[in-house]
Each structure stands twice: as C-alpha cells, then as structure tokens.
Amino acid sequence: MFVRGKGKGGVGVSEPETFEVATKCLEAWSSGDFATARTLLRDDVTFVGPLGPDGGAESYMNRLVDLSHHVTSAEPIKVLVDGDDACIFYDLVTDAAVSVPTSDWYHVQDGKISSVRAYFDTRALTAGSDTHDHQSAAQFGAPAGRRILPSILPALVSAEMELAESST
C-alpha cells in the first residue's frame, strides 16, 4: 500500500524510489540477505531506537545481524511514504514465537537510506528475563524464563531514555 502524506517533502518524484529502498532493506535484512541490505545504506547512516543510537553503516549492519539471530520474519502491515521518508509498520516475529509490533522510519537520500528510527515495545523482547516477569512473558507469548534478547537490553533502553531527556 502506498499512502502519500502532506509533509515537508510534499508529493515528490522520489516516492516510488523511497518506497522501493525502504521495503527492500527491511525484506533483505529480515530474511538474512545482509549484502543487499548493506547496498541500500549510506556509509554515514544514523540509527535511533530502543536499543540505543548508533552511527555508520557497519555498526548498524552489526546490530541487524545480531537482531536477526532472534527474528524469523518481518511481516509488513502498512507502508506510508512522503517524499524521501517512508514509515513501515510491521510485525517482527521472533524465534520465541512472539510478534512485536514495530515501526521503522527511513529517510532516503540519493537512493540510499541515510537514517532509521525504530519504534517498538521492548517489554516484549525482555519478557521472562526476571522471576517476577513470568506474567509478562505469557502476555507476549514468550515461554516463561525465555529471554528473547540479551539481558543488556534494559541498560541500553535506559541509556537511550537518558540521552533523549538530556536533549530536550
């Protein structure tokens, strides 16, 4: 689905390209095709998300490779495109059979992704990491005691929240 907005970029000729680049990148990394994903990124790509901010294509690719060890698929729900910006809403399906509602906001410049902002509820990824969290684990469909991402995730989220608070 292709929805046009009324943002700063207006309805530009780059929208089909923006759509193609953003959706191809998500499809590539979530299916393990990291070579293709890398060709779609600028060398100076920036990333901000629940796992913390990052910069540079190699660092971002390392994050995607690490995340992919816990992901079985990314199932797009809707793609919104406005000029050089694309927002993809999708379900990130993990190896623990948990589906995490996720949104990635891509900015495409000169045919490559220059920035990514990811949004998702980290509780689904850390459910079951503590003994008092068994109810949360069940709520998100994760087996009790099963940690989806490493235990460092809460520290990274905390650091990003502190960074966001200090910049306001």
Side-chain angles (χ1 to χ4, degrees):
M1 174 173 244
F2 200 49
V3 178
R4 293 186 171 116
K6 295 181 180 178
K8 292 186 283 184
V11 178
V13 296
S14 64
E15 287 182 346
E17 181 180 36
T18 300
F19 176 88
E20 177 71 21
V21 170
T23 56
K24 190 173 183 181
C25 185
L26 176 64
E27 180 183 319
W29 80 256
S30 65
S31 67
D33 184 359
F34 302 109
T36 296
R38 176 59 183 94
T39 66
L40 299 168
L41 302 174
R42 290 175 49 103
D43 291 340
D44 61 347
V45 66
T46 59
F47 171 79
V48 176
L51 302 179
D54 213 340
E58 298 315 311
S59 184
Y60 179 59
M61 287 303 303
N62 288 337
R63 283 181 180 248
L64 292 179
V65 169
D66 290 345
L67 180 61
S68 74
H69 295 299
H70 306 283
V71 171
T72 58
S73 67
E75 300 172 359
I77 297 167
K78 187 161 302 253
V79 179
L80 306 172
V81 178
D82 184 18
D84 293 336
D85 292 309
C87 186
I88 304 176
F89 297 93
Y90 62 98
D91 286 329
L92 187 67
V93 182
T94 69
D95 59 356
V98 175
S99 180
V100 181
T102 304
S103 176
D104 288 347
W105 174 10
Y106 298 91
H107 182 77
V108 177
Q109 185 178 7
D110 300 323
K112 293 192 175 204
I113 297 168
S114 63
S115 68
V116 181
R117 291 188 70 96
Y119 301 91
F120 58 89
D121 186 349
T122 60
R123 292 176 298 174
L125 298 177
T126 59
S129 61
D130 296 319
T131 54
H132 68 277
D133 210 14
H134 292 296
Q135 188 174 12
S136 271
Q139 173 187 356
F140 290 106
R146 175 84 185 263
R147 199 175 293 152
I148 299 170
L149 288 181
S151 60
I152 194 169
L153 179 63
L156 291 172
V157 171
S158 175
E160 180 180 344
M161 290 172 71
E162 289 172 17
L163 181 63
E165 288 172 1
S166 69
S167 66
T168 57

